[in-house]
Amino acid sequence: MFIECTKKLADAMKIKTNDITPIKREPFYEWHANLFMFERRKGVILMNNQTRYCIVLYGLKAEHFKKFDVIVLNAIQETFLAEGFPENQVNTYMANCGEVIYTKTHDRSILSQISDFHLHISWEIEEHIPNDNLNLVELNKWTGRLFCGTLGYAHPIELLKKEMSMLDA
């Protein structure tokens, strides 16, 4: 699994990212990630490269960035289960993720969509905080129902359902 970090996020995590170009990729297991600030607290928007489904983490501190891969994998699993995907499909997806590798971003259109979703999220996030959880599951579910223009004005949740159903095949 690749987490493609913006420079801002890589700096906050204090990591050096690799170039993704020479690596064989599978977009369903790639996530772009960008750092944002809201009410002086750090958050991250993760967007799946294939489906544009977003996962929002909020209230991150320095110690969270040290185990960011574990937090992301847990957030994906928790959110997919909350969306109602069968446990066997979620387990298959998680097993296929493999090791988390941090790379540089490579798709400007996804970064643009993250910016668009960030604008939507900035209006909705107050309804979901304060929250003891880093993973804002209900906000994630809400963003999954927003239209995504570059994928034919589809809802990311519908694209995710289609991809997850392929895991049974």
Side-chain angles (χ1 to χ4, degrees), residues 53-56 73-91 94 128 131 133 135-142 144-145 157 160-161 164:
Y53 189 88
C54 283
I55 293 185
V56 180
L73 291 171
N74 288 338
I76 292 169
Q77 184 174 25
E78 179 184 17
T79 303
F80 284 7
L81 290 171
E83 284 284 11
F85 291 108
E87 195 170 335
N88 65 321
Q89 283 180 350
V90 175
N91 290 340
M94 299 311 295
H128 302 277
N131 190 335
N133 248 344
N135 183 19
L136 301 179
V137 175
E138 293 304 316
L139 181 61
N140 300 341
K141 290 168 70 174
W142 180 82
R145 279 112 185 118
I157 186 62
L160 182 60
K161 285 178 182 176
M164 290 295 280

Side-chain angles (χ1 to χ4, degrees), residues 1-5 10 15-23 25 99-106:
M1 180 172 135
F2 295 111
I3 298 178
E4 300 173 29
C5 303
I15 62 166
K16 190 144 179 87
T17 55
N18 301 315
D19 186 12
I20 194 168
T21 308
I23 301 172
R25 304 182 333 255
E99 176 189 359
V100 173
I101 299 170
Y102 296 105
T103 65
K104 295 177 181 177
T105 60
H106 78 283

Side-chain angles (χ1 to χ4, degrees), residues 101-157:
I101 299 170
Y102 296 105
T103 65
K104 295 177 181 177
T105 60
H106 78 283
D107 191 330
R108 292 178 64 166
S109 72
I110 295 175
L111 293 173
S112 174
Q113 289 173 330
I114 287 176
S115 294
D116 289 346
F117 275 63
H118 179 253
L119 182 63
H120 291 292
I121 289 166
S122 66
W123 292 100
E124 184 70 20
I125 196 167
E126 287 186 47
E127 301 295 321
H128 302 277
I129 57 174
N131 190 335
D132 294 336
N133 248 344
L134 293 174
N135 183 19
L136 301 179
V137 175
E138 293 304 316
L139 181 61
N140 300 341
K141 290 168 70 174
W142 180 82
T143 61
R145 279 112 185 118
L146 296 172
F147 279 112
C148 185
T150 58
L151 297 178
Y153 292 98
H155 297 280
I157 186 62

Side-chain angles (χ1 to χ4, degrees), residues 12 35-38 40-44 57-60 65:
L35 184 73
F36 70 93
M37 297 289 289
F38 184 79
R40 297 184 348 227
R41 297 184 79 189
K42 291 179 182 170
V44 172
L57 304 172
Y58 180 73
L60 295 163
F65 289 118

Side-chain angles (χ1 to χ4, degrees), residues 1 26-31 48 50-51 76-77 80-81 84-98 158-169:
M1 180 172 135
E26 201 169 328
F28 191 41
Y29 300 98
E30 294 178 46
W31 295 76
N48 184 271
Q50 181 80 26
T51 66
I76 292 169
Q77 184 174 25
F80 284 7
L81 290 171
F85 291 108
E87 195 170 335
N88 65 321
Q89 283 180 350
V90 175
N91 290 340
T92 301
Y93 181 86
M94 299 311 295
N96 291 346
C97 283
E158 296 306 320
L159 299 172
L160 182 60
K161 285 178 182 176
K162 180 181 169 193
E163 291 297 322
M164 290 295 280
S165 70
M166 304 284 209
L167 296 178
D168 286 338

